[in-house]
Amino acid sequence: MKMPKLSLKLNTLPIVLALYYTLVVNLPMAREIVNIIQNLDAVKIVFVISIPLFFMAAFTFIFHLLNWPKLAKPIFVFLLLTSSLVSYAMFNYGIYVDYGMIENTFETTSEEASNYISVYSTIWLIMMGGLPAILLLFTRLEFSTWKRFLGLKALYMLVSILIIAAIAGLFYKDYASIGRNNSHLKKMIIPTEYLISTTKYINNTYIKQPMPYRQIGLDAKQVSPHNANGKPTLLVFVLGETARVHNYQYYGYQRQTNAHTAPYKPIFFANVESCGTATAVSVPCMFSNMNRANYDKETAYNQDNVIDIMTRAGIYAMWREHDGGDKGAAHNIKKMTLLPDDADHLCNSQECYDTAMLEGFEQDTANLNQDSILFYHLSGSHGPTYFKRYPEEHKQFTPDCPKADIENCSTEQVVNSYDNTILYTDYFIAQTIEKLKALEDKYNVALLYISDHGESLGENGIYLHGMPYSIAPKEQTHVPMILWTSTEFAQQKQLNTNCLIKAAKENSYSHDNLFDSLLGLMDVKTTEYRQHQDVFAQCRQPYPNTIER
């Protein structure tokens, strides 16, 4: 069967694409605009009609800038395919593909990316992006002369500008009101937002000259607690993934999602805010000396973090990875990544469960003759394939959602799957505590758990995470933090546990506190230490672990 011969004037292509992007590709933005208009007290019908005309003119102008002989097909095929991906993510998960999401996407592993593939997503991408791209490839774009081409291009762009100007003149007040009250709308425009963000990310990451690396805390050294018992400190730091506090039994959630750790009576910090809504932001931020308000990724990647300062002070540190990378946090210490292995009963050829990392725990903790901190970076509750994070025997809440396209599961199924991941992470923590208790004769042991960010489970039509922090729902920013210590650890560190329990319930904390809290907890003396940001300082007997600046 022969393909029909299709032809289109080259200067007409931007108009056709503008119509397609206005009516089809930008469905997520159209849905949001409809919701906004429905909530207005009064609205002019003529203004509503002007909205698609405004975007049609704007897209026509933009696409004419990209429309050139021999370049038009590859450029627009690329745009159609990538735009369909963005449209799918925005429409079905309620996320914005801004700079933060682009950063997260570039740093996502192929395994994580595969979790988003489903029959539904494949059909969406084929219908919205694939078929139009194929159609364009088989269309002959007619081009006569450069003079006529450039003349028509200039005319169409001028008409587009005049339409935009006319609409702006007639309805400026309406557009300004909606735009200022709903600033997130600009992040929903496809393809402008994700193209600008991608360009910025590529420039900042691969083209821009990196800033010189800066060492901080050069004066760092350990000080011995007054009542040291001669045993080294062993702190296990469990870095969670996508755990939100609202589904924690300790927080008041009705389900027993903390059934495994409950017998160990850990201290639960109820009010902790994350630095970001995605791993690529939160992880380097939480270990840096910067607070969220002044966090800068480039600076964080090019200077020492709290792990570097602790190792400089003589503390042994090691990082076990199971979540697509340490995001630069463990760049100067021993790091081991858990790889799938069919021979391991906790793995298959594609992925493992978090507890597979504990198979090397005895080896990790053997013959430590200095204060040590071991990091375990979990895949935790990483979606949308929550069902892959826990084995069958740990499927407590049913029916779950055994597929990637969670938008096609019921809310009950999605929540059940997510709660199973929270419970399995709780099992991991409990197993780690039990292993630490077996080492109490050799070390003063403790465990600190904190999640990198939270997760949306369909509230207000939003799923997953990664929304801009300024408009992110609390489900994506309110995270759990847990501390368990042996009696001797608390005694050695002079921690008043009753004081900590009270502070954990009443005070508010954030990832901002982690840098100084780790320095304080591991008895590191440095000018970089800020006592007022140390979560544990108010509950310790005072002794000098800071140097006057």
Side-chain angles (χ1 to χ4, degrees):
M1 179 179 177
K2 290 185 178 180
M3 289 287 296
K5 291 184 178 180
L6 302 172
S7 63
L8 186 70
K9 287 182 171 53
L10 183 58
N11 268 321
T12 307
L13 177 61
I15 301 174
V16 174
L17 287 171
L19 182 64
Y20 185 66
Y21 269 75
T22 300
L23 300 180
V24 180
V25 177
N26 276 279
L27 280 175
M29 183 178 63
R31 182 177 62 179
E32 183 67 10
I33 291 174
V34 168
N35 290 335
I36 291 169
I37 290 174
Q38 286 178 340
N39 290 320
L40 296 176
D41 293 332
V43 64
K44 305 169 187 171
I45 297 299
V46 182
F47 162 66
V48 175
I49 295 173
S50 78
I51 295 175
L53 295 177
F54 179 89
F55 281 105
M56 177 77 180
F59 287 138
T60 298
F61 182 86
I62 292 169
F63 291 150
H64 263 293
L65 292 175
L66 303 174
N67 188 51
W68 300 95
K70 296 185 179 180
L71 295 177
K73 283 191 178 183
I75 288 174
F76 290 124
V77 165
F78 171 78
L79 282 183
L80 285 167
L81 295 175
T82 54
S83 295
S84 64
L85 286 168
V86 173
S87 182
Y88 171 81
M90 290 176 61
F91 189 85
N92 293 285
Y93 298 136
I95 62 177
Y96 302 138
V97 185
D98 58 358
Y99 187 91
M101 186 57 69
I102 292 297
E103 178 183 44
N104 210 37
T105 300
F106 270 83
E107 297 186 16
T108 295
T109 63
S110 57
E111 177 195 339
E112 289 174 335
S114 67
N115 291 329
Y116 293 87
I117 298 174
S118 65
V119 173
Y120 175 63
S121 64
T122 302
I123 292 174
W124 180 292
L125 300 180
I126 290 174
M127 297 300 293
M128 181 177 284
L131 291 181
I134 292 172
L135 195 62
L136 176 56
L137 284 173
F138 284 93
T139 298
R140 185 171 66 87
L141 298 178
E142 297 177 355
F143 175 81
S144 54
T145 64
W146 276 102
K147 182 178 179 181
R148 179 175 176 79
F149 170 73
L150 293 175
L152 284 174
K153 178 187 284 287
L155 176 63
Y156 287 141
M157 294 176 74
L158 177 61
V159 170
S160 298
I161 291 174
L162 291 175
I163 292 173
I164 293 170
I167 293 174
L170 291 170
F171 305 107
Y172 176 80
K173 183 178 178 182
D174 303 272
Y175 279 93
S177 176
I178 290 180
R180 288 171 184 169
N181 292 324
N182 302 276
S183 57
H184 64 283
L185 279 175
K186 73 180 185 66
K187 294 181 178 292
M188 302 185 72
I189 301 174
I190 305 172
T192 56
E193 180 65 23
Y194 83 87
L195 285 179
I196 292 170
S197 297
T198 302
T199 302
K200 286 181 179 178
Y201 177 83
I202 292 173
N203 177 62
N204 292 340
T205 307
Y206 303 107
I207 300 173
K208 187 178 177 182
Q209 186 72 22
M211 65 190 300
Y213 190 88
R214 175 172 171 252
Q215 290 183 312
I216 61 174
L218 294 175
D219 59 341
K221 62 180 180 179
Q222 272 194 292
V223 293
S224 298
H226 288 172
N227 60 340
N229 56 18
K231 292 190 291 189
T233 291
L234 172 57
L235 174 65
V236 171
F237 188 104
V238 181
L239 177 53
E241 166 66 44
T242 323
R244 69 186 207 177
V245 77
H246 302 84
N247 291 55
Y248 257 58
Q249 179 184 348
Y250 295 138
Y251 189 69
Y253 192 51
Q254 295 303 306
R255 286 180 162 177
Q256 293 186 343
T257 52
N258 298 115
H260 298 295
T261 58
Y264 300 100
K265 298 181 179 178
I267 298 172
F268 170 68
F269 292 79
N271 301 296
V272 180
E273 297 294 322
S274 66
C275 184
T277 61
T279 306
V281 176
S282 282
V283 173
C285 178
M286 70 168 70
F287 291 109
S288 78
N289 66 344
M290 292 173 281
N291 292 344
R292 190 184 70 79
N294 67 330
Y295 174 70
D296 176 72
K297 176 192 172 183
E298 186 178 12
T299 302
Y301 273 72
N302 290 285
Q303 76 172 21
D304 289 342
N305 57 33
V306 67
I307 303 174
D308 301 315
I309 295 174
M310 288 191 294
T311 57
R312 181 173 294 123
I315 295 169
Y316 170 73
M318 186 208 74
W319 184 289
R320 281 196 178 270
E321 177 59 46
H322 189 220
D323 192 38
D326 62 292
K327 311 305 178 189
H331 52 184
N332 290 323
I333 64 172
K334 180 181 179 181
K335 182 172 63 178
M336 288 173 284
T337 300
L338 180 63
L339 299 175
D341 182 0
D342 283 334
D344 192 325
H345 70 287
L346 292 170
C347 302
N348 57 42
S349 60
Q350 285 146 352
E351 55 196 306
C352 297
Y353 300 116
D354 283 329
T355 47
M357 283 192 290
L358 293 178
E359 293 175 326
F361 187 84
E362 284 70 26
Q363 179 184 348
D364 294 342
T365 57
N367 304 317
L368 297 175
N369 54 14
Q370 64 194 102
D371 286 358
S372 304
I373 180 167
L374 308 181
F375 295 90
Y376 289 84
H377 190 192
L378 310 183
S379 61
S381 302
H382 199 292
T385 52
Y386 305 119
F387 70 98
K388 292 184 178 181
R389 309 293 165 233
Y390 51 89
E392 185 69 22
E393 60 270 23
H394 284 266
K395 186 164 68 174
Q396 179 70 29
F397 307 109
T398 56
D400 62 355
C401 177
K403 51 187 177 181
D405 47 331
I406 56 176
E407 67 279 6
N408 291 321
C409 287
S410 67
T411 300
E412 178 192 12
Q413 288 176 300
V414 173
V415 172
N416 284 343
S417 296
Y418 184 81
D419 285 349
N420 284 330
T421 68
I422 297 294
L423 183 60
Y424 193 63
T425 294
D426 195 66
Y427 174 74
F428 177 97
I429 296 171
Q431 290 291 298
T432 308
I433 292 175
E434 193 61 33
K435 289 178 179 293
L436 285 172
K437 286 174 67 68
L439 297 172
E440 286 188 77
D441 61 325
K442 297 171 61 178
Y443 310 113
N444 298 311
V445 295
L447 179 144
L448 180 63
Y449 167 85
I450 191 168
S451 181
D452 60 350
H453 55 79
E455 184 87 329
S456 290
L457 299 176
E459 297 87 2
N460 299 314
I462 301 171
Y463 291 89
L464 304 176
H465 54 266
M467 290 194 70
Y469 204 96
S470 59
I471 60 171
K474 61 185 181 300
E475 289 84 5
Q476 294 189 28
T477 60
H478 194 175
V479 297
M481 186 168 90
I482 290 173
L483 174 70
W484 173 87
T485 75
S486 67
T487 301
E488 287 189 315
F489 181 96
Q491 290 173 347
Q492 184 199 36
K493 304 298 180 182
Q494 299 177 307
L495 286 173
N496 184 322
T497 52
N498 289 329
C499 170
L500 268 180
I501 291 169
K502 185 173 184 292
K505 288 180 180 178
E506 298 176 357
N507 296 345
S508 295
Y509 302 106
S510 73
H511 283 166
D512 294 352
N513 298 101
L514 187 62
F515 179 91
D516 303 284
S517 299
L518 284 177
L519 291 177
L521 201 59
M522 297 302 287
D523 302 304
V524 176
K525 180 179 180 180
T526 172
T527 52
E528 294 297 326
Y529 172 78
R530 299 157 297 192
Q531 187 175 18
H532 68 280
Q533 290 202 171
D534 182 351
V535 171
F536 310 110
Q538 63 181 309
C539 297
R540 299 182 76 179
Q541 293 291 335
Y543 68 92
N545 71 321
T546 186
I547 301 172
E548 293 297 326
R549 294 181 184 272

